[in-house]
mmCIF file with all atom_site columns, all heavy atoms in Angstrom:
data_model
loop_
_atom_site.group_PDB
_atom_site.id
_atom_site.type_symbol
_atom_site.label_atom_id
_atom_site.label_alt_id
_atom_site.label_comp_id
_atom_site.label_asym_id
_atom_site.label_entity_id
_atom_site.label_seq_id
_atom_site.pdbx_PDB_ins_code
_atom_site.Cartn_x
_atom_site.Cartn_y
_atom_site.Cartn_z
_atom_site.occupancy
_atom_site.B_iso_or_equiv
_atom_site.pdbx_formal_charge
_atom_site.auth_seq_id
_atom_site.auth_comp_id
_atom_site.auth_asym_id
_atom_site.auth_atom_id
_atom_site.pdbx_PDB_model_num
ATOM 1  N N   . LEU A 1 175 ? 92.158 96.604  95.586  1.00 79.00 ? 175 LEU A N   1
ATOM 2  C CA  . LEU A 1 175 ? 92.887 97.888  95.713  1.00 79.00 ? 175 LEU A CA  1
ATOM 3  C C   . LEU A 1 175 ? 92.216 98.972  96.526  1.00 79.00 ? 175 LEU A C   1
ATOM 4  O O   . LEU A 1 175 ? 92.652 100.152 96.614  1.00 79.00 ? 175 LEU A O   1
ATOM 5  C CB  . LEU A 1 175 ? 93.083 98.414  94.254  1.00 79.00 ? 175 LEU A CB  1
ATOM 6  C CG  . LEU A 1 175 ? 93.976 97.517  93.415  1.00 79.00 ? 175 LEU A CG  1
ATOM 7  C CD1 . LEU A 1 175 ? 94.273 98.156  92.055  1.00 79.00 ? 175 LEU A CD1 1
ATOM 8  C CD2 . LEU A 1 175 ? 95.351 97.393  93.947  1.00 79.00 ? 175 LEU A CD2 1
ATOM 9  N N   . ARG A 1 176 ? 91.095 98.563  97.110  1.00 81.00 ? 176 ARG A N   1
ATOM 10 C CA  . ARG A 1 176 ? 90.414 99.543  97.836  1.00 81.00 ? 176 ARG A CA  1
ATOM 11 C C   . ARG A 1 176 ? 91.265 100.198 98.953  1.00 81.00 ? 176 ARG A C   1
ATOM 12 O O   . ARG A 1 176 ? 91.278 101.380 99.189  1.00 81.00 ? 176 ARG A O   1
ATOM 13 C CB  . ARG A 1 176 ? 89.035 98.893  98.457  1.00 81.00 ? 176 ARG A CB  1
ATOM 14 C CG  . ARG A 1 176 ? 88.124 100.042 98.953  1.00 81.00 ? 176 ARG A CG  1
ATOM 15 C CD  . ARG A 1 176 ? 86.881 99.506  99.606  1.00 81.00 ? 176 ARG A CD  1
ATOM 16 N NE  . ARG A 1 176 ? 86.257 98.480  98.803  1.00 81.00 ? 176 ARG A NE  1
ATOM 17 C CZ  . ARG A 1 176 ? 85.968 97.294  99.405  1.00 81.00 ? 176 ARG A CZ  1
ATOM 18 N NH1 . ARG A 1 176 ? 86.043 96.980  100.605 1.00 81.00 ? 176 ARG A NH1 1
ATOM 19 N NH2 . ARG A 1 176 ? 85.425 96.380  98.585  1.00 81.00 ? 176 ARG A NH2 1
ATOM 20 N N   . PRO A 1 177 ? 92.090 99.389  99.694  1.00 81.00 ? 177 PRO A N   1
ATOM 21 C CA  . PRO A 1 177 ? 92.947 99.939  100.732 1.00 81.00 ? 177 PRO A CA  1
ATOM 22 C C   . PRO A 1 177 ? 93.944 100.987 100.112 1.00 81.00 ? 177 PRO A C   1
ATOM 23 O O   . PRO A 1 177 ? 94.284 101.932 100.742 1.00 81.00 ? 177 PRO A O   1
ATOM 24 C CB  . PRO A 1 177 ? 93.679 98.707  101.385 1.00 81.00 ? 177 PRO A CB  1
ATOM 25 C CG  . PRO A 1 177 ? 92.920 97.646  100.841 1.00 81.00 ? 177 PRO A CG  1
ATOM 26 C CD  . PRO A 1 177 ? 92.124 97.944  99.597  1.00 81.00 ? 177 PRO A CD  1
ATOM 27 N N   . LEU A 1 178 ? 94.224 100.653 98.845  1.00 83.00 ? 178 LEU A N   1
ATOM 28 C CA  . LEU A 1 178 ? 95.265 101.522 98.144  1.00 83.00 ? 178 LEU A CA  1
ATOM 29 C C   . LEU A 1 178 ? 94.613 102.837 97.787  1.00 83.00 ? 178 LEU A C   1
ATOM 30 O O   . LEU A 1 178 ? 95.378 103.948 98.024  1.00 83.00 ? 178 LEU A O   1
ATOM 31 C CB  . LEU A 1 178 ? 95.699 100.778 96.835  1.00 83.00 ? 178 LEU A CB  1
ATOM 32 C CG  . LEU A 1 178 ? 97.107 101.099 96.352  1.00 83.00 ? 178 LEU A CG  1
ATOM 33 C CD1 . LEU A 1 178 ? 98.057 100.749 97.456  1.00 83.00 ? 178 LEU A CD1 1
ATOM 34 C CD2 . LEU A 1 178 ? 97.460 100.383 95.097  1.00 83.00 ? 178 LEU A CD2 1
ATOM 35 N N   . GLN A 1 179 ? 93.414 102.922 97.606  1.00 82.00 ? 179 GLN A N   1
ATOM 36 C CA  . GLN A 1 179 ? 92.810 104.196 97.369  1.00 82.00 ? 179 GLN A CA  1
ATOM 37 C C   . GLN A 1 179 ? 92.768 105.065 98.609  1.00 82.00 ? 179 GLN A C   1
ATOM 38 O O   . GLN A 1 179 ? 93.151 106.309 98.747  1.00 82.00 ? 179 GLN A O   1
ATOM 39 C CB  . GLN A 1 179 ? 91.371 104.029 96.886  1.00 82.00 ? 179 GLN A CB  1
ATOM 40 C CG  . GLN A 1 179 ? 91.354 103.532 95.389  1.00 82.00 ? 179 GLN A CG  1
ATOM 41 C CD  . GLN A 1 179 ? 89.807 103.245 95.032  1.00 82.00 ? 179 GLN A CD  1
ATOM 42 O OE1 . GLN A 1 179 ? 89.038 103.230 95.886  1.00 82.00 ? 179 GLN A OE1 1
ATOM 43 N NE2 . GLN A 1 179 ? 89.633 103.089 93.780  1.00 82.00 ? 179 GLN A NE2 1
ATOM 44 N N   . GLU A 1 180 ? 92.478 104.309 99.706  1.00 85.00 ? 180 GLU A N   1
ATOM 45 C CA  . GLU A 1 180 ? 92.460 104.894 101.058 1.00 85.00 ? 180 GLU A CA  1
ATOM 46 C C   . GLU A 1 180 ? 93.811 105.446 101.423 1.00 85.00 ? 180 GLU A C   1
ATOM 47 O O   . GLU A 1 180 ? 93.960 106.580 101.930 1.00 85.00 ? 180 GLU A O   1
ATOM 48 C CB  . GLU A 1 180 ? 91.885 103.795 102.010 1.00 85.00 ? 180 GLU A CB  1
ATOM 49 C CG  . GLU A 1 180 ? 91.670 104.320 103.539 1.00 85.00 ? 180 GLU A CG  1
ATOM 50 C CD  . GLU A 1 180 ? 90.672 105.344 103.528 1.00 85.00 ? 180 GLU A CD  1
ATOM 51 O OE1 . GLU A 1 180 ? 89.746 105.376 102.715 1.00 85.00 ? 180 GLU A OE1 1
ATOM 52 O OE2 . GLU A 1 180 ? 90.676 106.193 104.452 1.00 85.00 ? 180 GLU A OE2 1
ATOM 53 N N   . ILE A 1 181 ? 94.815 104.646 101.126 1.00 86.00 ? 181 ILE A N   1
ATOM 54 C CA  . ILE A 1 181 ? 96.105 105.023 101.361 1.00 86.00 ? 181 ILE A CA  1
ATOM 55 C C   . ILE A 1 181 ? 96.525 106.194 100.584 1.00 86.00 ? 181 ILE A C   1
ATOM 56 O O   . ILE A 1 181 ? 97.142 107.259 101.029 1.00 86.00 ? 181 ILE A O   1
ATOM 57 C CB  . ILE A 1 181 ? 97.131 103.766 101.039 1.00 86.00 ? 181 ILE A CB  1
ATOM 58 C CG1 . ILE A 1 181 ? 96.940 102.689 102.134 1.00 86.00 ? 181 ILE A CG1 1
ATOM 59 C CG2 . ILE A 1 181 ? 98.574 104.402 101.110 1.00 86.00 ? 181 ILE A CG2 1
ATOM 60 C CD1 . ILE A 1 181 ? 97.750 101.435 101.656 1.00 86.00 ? 181 ILE A CD1 1
#
Side-chain angles (χ1 to χ4, degrees):
Chain A
L175 298 181
R176 196 180 315 130
L178 210 55
Q179 286 173 350
E180 185 62 26
I181 291 172

